[in-house]
Amino acid sequence: MHISVNVDGVTYADEVEPRLLLVHYLRERLGKTGTVVGCDTGNCGACTVHLDGHSVKSCQMLAVQANGHEVTTIEGLARDGKLHPVQEAFHSNHALQCGFCTPGMIMQAIDLLADESDPDDETVRKGLEGNLCRCTGYQNIVRAVQDAAQRMKPGAGPKQEQHSDEHVSSKQPVGGE
């Protein structure tokens, strides 16, 4: 079957088997290996990509269903060598443990933040509940999504990274007060 799909800003025209999953098309045909194959059942969310700006689990979608659509993978987020604010926030908040769930978490978080610009903990957890972290890094992931929400607000400047070995005392003012 012939398909034409725009992936990360590039249009691809291909012949594919009607039963080829989108995740396998992205990884094997296009080399988009940041889209991870986790469970092949849609339970883990590691394969999450955007289809026309909304998150989908690419292991539950056929490549032919993407025909005529725009797909964004984790590789397509950075622009001009600059990471997407959600990618920056995941890095700054140490929300990357083993990294296996990270691409799917980031893609789902971007979709969540498109609808909810200032999510509380419960909103983040509910918004990411279809994505599993096997390392139990949820605290840092929730923190990263909330940080990304702040980074994405108009006029927000870049935040300074705070490394886990740094200690900030709550008794002293921070930022030159």
Side-chain angles (χ1 to χ4, degrees):
M1 193 163 224
H2 183 77
I3 65 169
S4 177
V5 61
N6 184 302
V7 179
D8 297 335
V10 177
T11 300
Y12 297 90
D14 274 313
E15 288 292 323
V16 298
E17 290 291 323
R19 66 181 180 269
L20 179 66
L21 292 173
L22 180 58
V23 68
H24 295 299
Y25 176 72
L26 294 170
R27 290 179 59 81
E28 296 162 13
R29 290 275 187 95
L30 304 185
K32 303 291 184 173
T33 56
T35 302
V36 181
V37 178
C39 65
D40 274 332
T41 61
N43 290 320
C44 74
C47 68
T48 302
V49 298
H50 290 172
L51 180 74
D52 297 332
H54 297 284
S55 61
V56 296
K57 293 179 180 178
S58 61
C59 77
Q60 292 188 313
M61 184 173 187
L62 298 171
V64 296
Q65 291 175 292
N67 184 36
H69 294 278
E70 182 176 325
V71 175
T72 305
T73 69
I74 192 75
E75 290 97 339
L77 294 180
R79 296 282 184 245
D80 301 321
K82 183 171 174 22
L83 294 176
H84 186 280
V86 177
Q87 290 173 305
E88 290 175 344
F90 267 65
H91 179 264
S92 296
N93 288 279
H94 309 287
L96 319 155
Q97 288 192 35
C98 82
F100 193 81
C101 72
T102 304
M105 287 282 188
I106 288 173
M107 299 307 286
Q108 185 63 35
I110 291 169
D111 197 20
L112 168 67
L113 293 174
D115 294 333
E116 181 64 52
S117 63
D118 196 16
D120 59 17
D121 288 8
E122 183 179 342
T123 302
V124 173
R125 288 178 185 279
K126 282 187 178 191
L128 297 179
E129 69 185 4
N131 294 69
L132 301 176
C133 173
R134 290 167 176 88
C135 299
T136 67
Y138 291 110
Q139 293 295 94
N140 290 347
I141 291 168
V142 170
R143 190 175 308 118
V145 173
Q146 291 171 325
D147 179 15
Q150 298 308 310
R151 291 170 187 255
M152 293 170 69
K153 288 186 177 180
K159 291 190 83 177
Q160 296 293 322
E161 282 190 40
Q162 182 174 338
H163 298 283
S164 59
D165 56 277
E166 293 177 336
H167 177 72
V168 178
S169 170
S170 61
K171 295 180 182 178
Q172 298 177 0
V174 178
E177 292 180 28

